[in-house]
């Protein structure tokens, strides 16, 4: 089981802690959205307002989509708010099609 922890506004609106059986780290957004209505919409909305979230998998900040693909059976994932423009963000994962187009919409 993967322990998922949301931080900041997302934690207040959707809950702070989750546990999922994830094969890959990339599946975290789909898993949360399947359990919490409008999660991905809120991620996009916050990003448009300048509030982005970093993805931390097993205590390592993710810097590109490929890293989410190779992280198999992660033990922990944190979605942490960061200053806009400070790096790879959750909205990029959703918009990148790897999660949203490839899994969320198809699933």
């Amino acid at each position: 089981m993967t322990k998922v922890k949301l931080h900041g506004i997302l934690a207040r609106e959707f809950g702070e802690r989750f546990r999922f059986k994830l094969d890959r780290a990339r599946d975290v957004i789909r898993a949360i959205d399947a359990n919490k209505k409008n999660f991905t919409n809120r991620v996009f909305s916050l990003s448009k307002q300048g509030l982005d979230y970093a993805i931390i998998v097993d205590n390592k900040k993710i810097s590109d989509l490929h890293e989410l693909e190779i992280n198999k059976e992660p033990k922990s994932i944190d979605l942490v708010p960061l200053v806009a423009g400070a790096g790879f963000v959750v909205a990029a994962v959703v918009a990148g099609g790897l999660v949203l187009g490839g899994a969320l919409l198809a699933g």
Side-chain angles (χ1 to χ4, degrees), residues 23-92:
D23 292 327
R24 288 185 163 53
R26 71 171 186 200
D27 299 329
V28 68
I29 304 301
R30 181 176 55 99
I32 296 170
D33 197 69
N35 288 279
K36 298 293 183 174
K37 187 177 179 181
N38 293 320
F39 180 76
T40 55
N41 290 336
R42 187 61 172 142
V43 168
F44 277 127
S45 173
L46 290 171
S47 182
K48 287 179 184 177
Q49 296 172 37
L51 180 58
D52 290 308
Y53 278 75
I55 303 170
I56 314 267
V57 177
D58 295 332
N59 298 314
K60 181 179 183 268
K61 185 177 176 194
I62 299 301
S63 61
D64 64 45
L65 288 172
H66 178 69
E67 288 182 55
L68 286 175
E69 181 67 27
I70 61 173
N71 278 302
K72 295 183 179 180
E73 298 181 12
K75 290 179 177 54
S76 69
I77 299 175
D78 287 81
L79 302 181
V80 181
L82 52 81
V83 177
F88 185 74
V89 296
V90 172

Side-chain angles (χ1 to χ4, degrees), residues 1-3 19-22 74-76:
M1 295 296 280
T2 302
K3 295 178 184 178
R19 290 177 66 94
F20 299 112
K21 183 174 184 334
L22 301 176
K75 290 179 177 54
S76 69

